């Protein structure tokens, strides 16, 4: 997604690409920040409100959409070059390591908790909780290797399809195989209570990567957006004919959420840029918005966050105001940090990077 020499999520508006993917990620991160804030602050009485209940239902697509777009962007940024995957593999692996570091860093419980619990499984469960950043980081690392090794069009499509379909289907088996292993392995592969285990959550990442690979042949703009919407609708129609399974290892659930995510991505691709462009900066800053808001909401290193200080006591307007304010403050910090990091550094030649996740022309024109 980013040009060589830029930050992981550059906040500048890159002119050669359509902001569709960034807008989709921006929409997801807005829903994520507001969702976490509402979950931490809404009073028990307000949680029963019909609007809030409806929002909880819609919020289910937030994390799947985030992983889906991440996988889509990795392949879309390669363009049509067969060599680019190998050329950028080192940079993608470094990015994957950064995501892993940040993901585990956010779960640091503080030295007081470490001394109190001692080195045992309870402490290791806290330290090595496998969250969204770790899932994307591992998926990105595996995806970078696969894309570098599988250079042919059909070879690459087959490899991505095996991962996109095989990971959800193998989830129940993988959980059982990892059960005798250490807690670190069980958290990552999958176990009851694990938040974003690789099985089946990595399936969303590779479903997005496979979709991007297959949609490269389509003419940019309306055909691509309509194809994404049609594919999403087809998956939803297919899952509607099958028995619903909401268990954490369900391949049906992955297909259902992928269908919803593709509908959102297709709709954003078809919308006028006037509507999608405001979300794009939030999408490019999504990593830092995610990293910054979690300690504020839930606390970090033994310091209580809003959940511990305010707790579930607020009404809907007050909780929404806190969420929007938190989103604005986190974005301001991310923007300022990016500006300070860029000062004194020569801006790379814009001609060095031409990959376009969703093209400008026709992508979302009325």
């Amino acid at each position: 997604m980013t040009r060589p020499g830029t930050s992981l999520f550059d906040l500048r508006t890159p002119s050669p690409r359509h902001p569709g993917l960034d807008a989709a990620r921006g929409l997801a991160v807005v829903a994520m920040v507001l969702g976490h804030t509402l979950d931490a602050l809404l009073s028990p009485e307000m949680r029963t409100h019909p609007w809030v209940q409806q929002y909880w239902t819609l919020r289910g697509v937030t994390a799947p959409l985030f992983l889906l777009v991440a996988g889509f962007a990795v392949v879309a940024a390669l363009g049509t070059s067969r060599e680019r995957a190998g050329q950028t593999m080192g940079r993608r692996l470094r990015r994957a390591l950064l995501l892993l570091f940040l993901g585990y860093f956010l779960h640091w419980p503080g030295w007081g908790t470490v001394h109190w619990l001692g080195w045992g499984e309870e402490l290791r469960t806290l330290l090595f909780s496998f969250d969204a950043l770790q899932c994307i980081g591992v998926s990105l690392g595996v995806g970078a290797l696969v894309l570098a090794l599988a250079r042919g069009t059909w070879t690459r499509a087959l490899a991505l399809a095996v991962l996109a379909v095989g990971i959800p289907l193998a989830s129940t088996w993988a959980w059982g195989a990892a059960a005798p292993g250490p807690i670190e392995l069980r958290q990552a592969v999958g176990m009851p209570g694990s938040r974003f285990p690789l099985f089946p959550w990595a399936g969303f990442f590779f479903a997005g990567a496979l979709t991007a690979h297959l949609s490269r042949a389509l003419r940019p703009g309306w055909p691509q957006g309509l194809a994404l919407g049609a594919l999403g609708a087809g998956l939803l129609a297919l899952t509607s004919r099958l028995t619903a399974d909401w268990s954490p290892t369900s391949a049906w659930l992955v297909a259902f959420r992928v269908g919803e995510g593709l509908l959102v991505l297709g709709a954003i691709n078809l919308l006028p840029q006037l509507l999608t462009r405001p979300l794009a900066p939030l999408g490019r800053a999504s990593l830092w918005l995610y990293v910054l808001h979690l300690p504020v909401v839930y606390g970090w290193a033994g310091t209580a966050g809003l959940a511990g200080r305010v707790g579930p006591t607020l009404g809907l307007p007050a909780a929404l105001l806190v969420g929007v304010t938190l989103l604005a403050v986190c974005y301001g910090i991310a923007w300022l940090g990016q500006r300070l990091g860029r000062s004194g550094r020569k801006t790379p030649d814009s001609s060095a990077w031409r990959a376009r996740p969703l093209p400008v022309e026709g992508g979302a024109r009325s």
Side-chain angles (χ1 to χ4, degrees), residues 201-225:
W201 281 90
F204 293 109
F205 181 94
F206 291 107
L210 176 63
T211 303
H213 182 71
L214 297 178
S215 63
R216 292 182 311 149
L218 296 175
R219 186 170 62 85
W222 280 90
Q224 193 175 53

Side-chain angles (χ1 to χ4, degrees), residues 113-135:
T113 303
V114 171
H115 289 302
W116 178 52
L117 292 178
W119 187 256
E121 185 165 302
E122 186 176 359
L123 176 62
R124 289 156 55 204
T125 300
L126 292 175
L127 289 174
F128 297 102
S129 294
F130 206 78
D131 223 323
L133 291 185
Q134 292 95 314
C135 185

Side-chain angles (χ1 to χ4, degrees), residues 141-195:
V142 173
L145 293 173
V146 169
L147 293 171
L149 295 175
R151 299 185 179 183
T153 300
W154 291 108
T155 304
R156 186 171 288 179
L158 178 61
L160 293 175
V162 168
L163 291 169
V165 178
I167 288 176
L169 289 177
S171 293
T172 301
W173 173 85
W175 282 36
I183 187 63
E184 296 84 355
L185 177 65
R186 284 181 281 148
Q187 288 274 13
V189 174
M191 59 174 285
S194 185
R195 297 174 180 176

Side-chain angles (χ1 to χ4, degrees), residues 20 27 40 72 80 82-83 88 101 104 115 174-175 199 348 362 365:
L27 179 64
F72 195 106
T80 57
R82 294 188 177 183
E83 304 299 326
T88 60
F101 169 76
Y104 285 123
H115 289 302
W175 282 36
F199 292 85
R365 303 294 178 87

Side-chain angles (χ1 to χ4, degrees), residues 23-245:
R25 185 154 38 197
L27 179 64
V29 78
V30 168
M32 188 176 299
V33 173
L34 293 181
H36 288 162
T37 306
L38 294 178
D39 183 54
L41 301 182
L42 279 181
S43 65
E45 298 78 14
M46 185 54 64
R47 290 172 184 270
T48 61
H49 194 283
W51 288 5
V52 176
Q53 291 296 315
Q54 186 65 30
Y55 176 73
W56 294 145
T57 302
L58 296 175
R59 187 187 164 202
V61 75
T62 301
L65 177 63
F66 208 81
L67 272 76
L68 184 76
V69 173
F72 195 106
V74 167
V75 173
L78 297 177
T80 57
S81 172
R82 294 188 177 183
E83 304 299 326
R84 186 168 178 79
Q87 296 169 354
T88 60
M89 184 178 67
R91 180 163 55 90
R92 296 185 188 281
L93 291 177
R94 290 193 298 270
R95 189 182 307 175
L97 291 175
L98 173 63
L99 293 173
L100 284 171
F101 169 76
L102 290 174
Y104 285 123
F105 180 74
L106 288 173
H107 288 287
W108 173 247
W111 286 112
T113 303
V114 171
H115 289 302
W116 178 52
L117 292 178
W119 187 256
E121 185 165 302
E122 186 176 359
L123 176 62
R124 289 156 55 204
T125 300
L126 292 175
L127 289 174
F128 297 102
S129 294
F130 206 78
D131 223 323
L133 291 185
Q134 292 95 314
C135 185
I136 295 177
V138 173
S139 300
L140 178 59
V142 173
L145 293 173
V146 169
L147 293 171
L149 295 175
R151 299 185 179 183
T153 300
W154 291 108
T155 304
R156 186 171 288 179
L158 178 61
L160 293 175
V162 168
L163 291 169
V165 178
I167 288 176
L169 289 177
S171 293
T172 301
W173 173 85
W175 282 36
I183 187 63
E184 296 84 355
L185 177 65
R186 284 181 281 148
Q187 288 274 13
V189 174
M191 59 174 285
S194 185
R195 297 174 180 176
F196 291 89
L198 292 171
F199 292 85
W201 281 90
F204 293 109
F205 181 94
F206 291 107
L210 176 63
T211 303
H213 182 71
L214 297 178
S215 63
R216 292 182 311 149
L218 296 175
R219 186 170 62 85
W222 280 90
Q224 193 175 53
L226 290 174
L228 292 172
L231 180 58
L235 281 174
L236 292 180
L238 175 63
T239 54
S240 68
R241 295 179 175 273
L242 302 175
T243 303
D245 180 6

